[in-house]
Structures are given as C-alpha cells and as structure tokens.
Amino acid sequence: MARKTENTGFVCINCGADVPPIASGTIRNHCPGCLCSLHVDMDIGDRLCDCRGLMRPRAIEYHSQKGWQIFHRCVACGFERKNMTADDDNLDEILKIMRNSAF
Ligand SMILES: [Zn+2]
Ligand SMILES: [Zn+2]
C-alpha cells in the first residue's frame, strides 16, 4: 500500500514543469526536462527527508546492470545520490551533462 505513494507527479522547482507520474511503473524521482530532483528521500522513495533542497544533475554514469544513471547532488546540503534515467528524460540535457562532467 505504501509503495503507491512513491509514483506521484510533482511540479519541478527548477524549471516549473508540471511532471506527470511515470507510465512504466518505476519511481519518478527527477524532472524529465531539466533532470533536476528534490532532496526528499532518505532512502529511495521514502519521502522522509525534510531537506527539500534542489538536487542538480552532476554527471551521467553507465551501470552494467541498471543502465544509465544520473548522479545528483543536493545544492542545500551536498547529499549525493544516483538515480536511474527514465524513458522520457530529455536526451539533449543528458548529453549536455555528459559533455560537462569531469568523468
Ligand atoms: Zn525541471
Ligand atoms: Zn539536501
């Protein structure tokens, strides 16, 4: 029952996009337009963190089992986390991060 609340839409605080819940059943944890996320989870999907800082995409990494992952960093507290990319993520933005990343 609790897992149902994980997959909800939200309004992106970075670009203002109205982000709908993801269609494929995985957890929507970042904006598909600007790829920014919000620091609201202690563990993925639990929404127990009250930091609420903007998590900016810092780098893109490839994981052999999980596929492409976005490396997010919270601008408020410096917390870092990897998130899986979604099917409708903005490819231009992903390529831009790849070019700019230090990896
Ligand atoms: Zn956004
Ligand atoms: Zn934070």
Side-chain angles (χ1 to χ4, degrees):
M1 247 197 293
R3 295 194 69 84
K4 226 179 154 190
T5 59
E6 290 169 359
N7 190 27
T8 51
F10 60 92
V11 176
C12 175
I13 63 163
N14 184 57
C15 71
D18 199 352
V19 182
I22 204 163
S24 62
T26 52
I27 300 166
R28 170 80 80 191
N29 53 27
H30 57 269
C31 171
C34 68
L35 307 182
C36 285
S37 183
L38 263 189
H39 190 189
V40 292
D41 296 345
M42 308 258 257
D43 256 326
I44 291 176
D46 65 14
R47 301 293 189 262
L48 289 177
C49 182
D50 52 14
C51 170
R52 307 229 145 223
L54 179 68
M55 295 194 71
R56 286 193 175 280
R58 306 275 298 173
I60 305 289
E61 288 180 354
Y62 188 73
H63 187 285
S64 56
Q65 269 112 52
K66 295 174 182 167
W68 294 99
Q69 294 186 297
I70 304 172
F71 191 71
H72 281 111
R73 186 187 178 121
C74 177
V75 297
C77 72
F79 179 80
E80 293 176 332
R81 162 170 291 153
K82 286 173 195 163
N83 287 302
M84 273 188 275
T85 53
D87 292 344
D88 55 356
D89 279 349
N90 184 343
L91 200 58
D92 288 341
E93 205 61 39
I94 287 176
L95 292 173
K96 206 161 82 188
I97 297 161
M98 282 175 142
R99 273 197 296 267
N100 292 341
S101 81
F103 293 107

